Amino acid sequence: MAPIPGSGLAKGLAVTLRTMTKKTVTEQYPDVQPDLPPRTRGVIGLFEENCTVCMLCARECPDWCIYIDSHKETVPPAAPGGRERSRNVLDRFAIDFSLCMYCGICIEVCPFDALFWSPEFEYAETDIHELTHERDKLREWMWTVPAPPALDPGAEEPKEIASARKAAEKLAAAQAEATAPAAFPTGTEPHADEQARAAESPTRPAGDSKQQTDQPRQEDGE
């Protein structure tokens, strides 16, 4: 069916009329901060304690805007007779946000949860060099990272929490057993085998002693 001449113009005018009848809403920024979604990609924060200098974030970054420097240190053995180990120590961790395209690949590939998204976006600078945030500045952004959303009530319990809860319950049971009062004084509690033998052995008559039963019976007239 051929379109009616002027139908496109009529649809456009209808959209214009609907828009004209709506109330205009103006965001009073910066006096009123915008209500941002919880997963807003504003700036990246660094949790330095979790960083192992594995370099995955720098290698996977498509813009090569992450700069990492480190050195190795020798760790003494934990027990006598052990061998020394070496570990990486972070010297520099910087992100150039003038090159970053906010793809989030560095956060996704980090195996130790050292990088997080923060919804903060007010870090514009007049000098482009100031957009390279060193690790001290990235650490400050961590205080603006929102808490993770709550889990679904019907979701399965995380394995880490389940294992920690079982270990805590086992430790509490062991402590309760150690502090429970004993039914017998220390060193006088009868053994289970002795209790069973005592129950099975016949009861001797009153006044009959072990010494009497062990003596050989004297024949009459001897």
Side-chain angles (χ1 to χ4, degrees):
M1 181 178 179
I4 301 175
S7 59
L9 178 61
K11 291 180 180 180
L13 291 175
V15 173
T16 303
L17 291 174
R18 285 198 303 269
T19 305
M20 290 175 60
T21 56
K22 292 182 180 180
K23 182 180 179 181
T24 302
V25 178
T26 303
E27 296 288 346
Q28 301 298 325
Y29 178 81
D31 297 330
V32 179
Q33 293 293 322
D35 187 11
L36 300 175
R39 299 183 65 182
T40 299
R41 298 185 176 187
V43 70
I44 297 174
L46 170 67
F47 191 57
E48 186 175 337
E49 286 77 2
N50 286 358
C51 182
T52 60
V53 201
C54 64
M55 305 292 291
L56 277 177
C57 54
R59 289 199 298 264
E60 297 295 332
C61 177
D63 290 335
W64 293 89
C65 65
I66 300 177
Y67 312 108
I68 301 176
D69 292 330
S70 66
H71 69 277
K72 289 186 177 293
E73 285 186 357
T74 302
V75 180
R83 64 183 182 87
E84 296 181 345
R85 298 180 180 273
S86 62
R87 66 183 181 94
N88 291 324
V89 178
L90 184 66
D91 293 329
R92 185 195 183 199
F93 195 109
I95 299 178
D96 187 355
F97 287 102
S98 65
L99 297 177
C100 178
M101 65 180 186
Y102 303 90
C103 62
I105 293 178
C106 57
I107 298 176
E108 293 177 3
V109 301
C110 180
F112 300 104
D113 293 334
L115 297 173
F116 297 87
W117 277 119
S118 168
E120 295 294 327
F121 61 92
E122 297 177 319
Y123 52 93
E125 301 287 349
T126 56
D127 187 359
I128 194 172
H129 297 92
E130 298 296 330
L131 287 175
T132 301
H133 294 186
E134 299 292 336
R135 65 177 184 175
D136 294 337
K137 184 66 174 178
L138 296 175
R139 178 61 181 263
E140 293 178 4
W141 292 124
M142 276 299 303
W143 301 108
T144 62
V145 174
L151 297 177
D152 189 349
E156 182 180 357
E157 187 178 22
K159 296 181 180 179
E160 296 83 357
I161 298 179
S163 60
R165 178 175 52 79
K166 291 179 181 178
E169 292 176 355
K170 186 181 298 184
L171 179 60
Q175 291 178 350
E177 184 178 355
T179 57
F184 296 90
T186 304
T188 62
E189 183 177 358
H191 196 272
D193 295 340
E194 296 178 359
Q195 294 178 359
R197 287 197 297 269
E200 294 176 359
S201 62
T203 306
R204 292 193 178 94
D208 191 9
S209 63
K210 185 176 186 296
Q211 185 177 3
Q212 294 173 347
T213 55
D214 292 339
Q215 293 291 337
R217 297 183 60 182
Q218 300 291 334
E219 296 294 339
D220 295 339
E222 294 183 3

